[in-house]
Amino acid sequence: MSIARTPQPPYTAVIFTSLRTDGDNGYDVMSERMNRLAAEQPGFLGIESARDSLGVTVSYWSSDEAAAAWKQVSEHVIAQERGRSVWYADYQVRVATVTRSYGATGSR
Amino acid sequence: MSIARTPQPPYTAVIFTSLRTDGDNGYDVMSERMNRLAAEQPGFLGIESARDSLGVTVSYWSSDEAAAAWKQVSEHVIAQERGRSVWYADYQVRVATVTRSYGATGSR
């Protein structure tokens, strides 16, 4: 996982934080599949993710509409349902508009 | 680390993603100190953080102004400088306005 090379703002960030239940229960396979599938969607700009006691994943999209369309992709809908029922003890999704960005190698 | 109990949007999210250099070099002590210090600032709403190969930390603030004020706190300025020179091989900061939020226990 590396730092996403996003364009100049504005664009949309979907901040997904989660606490896992115990056991894998098919999670790792699904997680990799969803990362690949997200990257194929219109308007996908990048994804950044880390997990220790908490999981924090931020996906970047060209617009709120592009992020909302990904939420409705059928295979992703099934994964979300399994997330709620099996994989996640708790989670929160926050949709945000990125207005400024700066870093080690300048704005991106 | 648990999921932050943020209020109803809108509020500000500062998404900080980073790749560490090798070795601790005083990082863990500083990181805990900065988390404690951030929580004392006006407008602080919460923080969520995880690190594996990548570090992803999202801090939440009542406004862009509150987030900008934290960036200027002197002890934090020193930590940022040491981050750029010692701790981080690469990093990116994105300032965003959260517009929607939902989760396992409803909006928050």
Side-chain angles (χ1 to χ4, degrees):
Chain A
M1 179 72 56
S2 58
I3 294 176
R5 299 213 159 255
T6 42
Q8 290 292 319
Y11 52 86
T12 298
V14 179
I15 305 161
F16 176 68
T17 46
S18 62
L19 291 167
R20 285 288 316 281
T21 51
D22 291 334
D24 183 71
N25 301 311
Y27 175 80
D28 282 352
V29 167
M30 177 284 300
S31 178
E32 285 189 24
R33 168 75 187 146
M34 287 303 118
N35 284 353
R36 279 200 306 277
L37 193 60
E40 296 170 2
Q41 303 306 307
F44 175 85
L45 299 178
I47 192 164
E48 296 169 336
S49 188
R51 178 174 297 281
D52 44 36
S53 61
L54 189 73
V56 184
T57 297
V58 188
S59 61
Y60 301 103
W61 301 88
S62 59
S63 66
D64 282 11
E65 290 70 25
W70 164 234
K71 188 174 191 297
Q72 300 303 329
V73 168
S74 58
E75 197 175 339
H76 187 205
V77 169
I78 294 166
Q80 289 169 65
E81 172 50 37
R82 192 156 171 80
R84 283 189 291 268
S85 62
V86 178
W87 292 315
Y88 300 122
D90 194 6
Y91 70 92
Q92 190 72 15
V93 178
R94 295 178 178 92
V95 181
T97 304
V98 177
T99 55
R100 288 190 299 132
S101 178
Y102 58 92
T105 54
S107 300
R108 62 182 172 190
Chain B
M1 181 71 59
S2 60
I3 294 176
R5 298 212 159 255
T6 43
Q8 290 292 319
Y11 52 87
T12 297
V14 179
I15 304 161
F16 176 68
T17 47
S18 63
L19 290 167
R20 286 287 318 280
T21 51
D22 291 334
D24 182 71
N25 302 309
Y27 175 80
D28 282 352
V29 168
M30 176 285 300
S31 178
E32 284 187 27
R33 168 76 186 144
M34 287 302 117
N35 285 353
R36 278 199 306 274
L37 192 61
E40 295 170 4
Q41 303 307 306
F44 176 84
L45 300 178
I47 193 165
E48 297 168 335
S49 188
R51 179 174 296 280
D52 44 36
S53 61
L54 189 72
V56 184
T57 297
V58 189
S59 60
Y60 300 103
W61 301 88
S62 59
S63 67
D64 282 10
E65 291 70 26
W70 164 233
K71 187 173 190 299
Q72 300 304 328
V73 168
S74 59
E75 197 175 339
H76 187 205
V77 169
I78 294 166
Q80 289 169 64
E81 173 49 36
R82 192 155 171 81
R84 282 188 293 267
S85 62
V86 178
W87 292 315
Y88 299 121
D90 195 6
Y91 70 91
Q92 190 72 17
V93 179
R94 295 178 178 92
V95 181
T97 304
V98 177
T99 56
R100 286 189 299 133
S101 179
Y102 57 91
T105 53
S107 299
R108 63 181 171 192

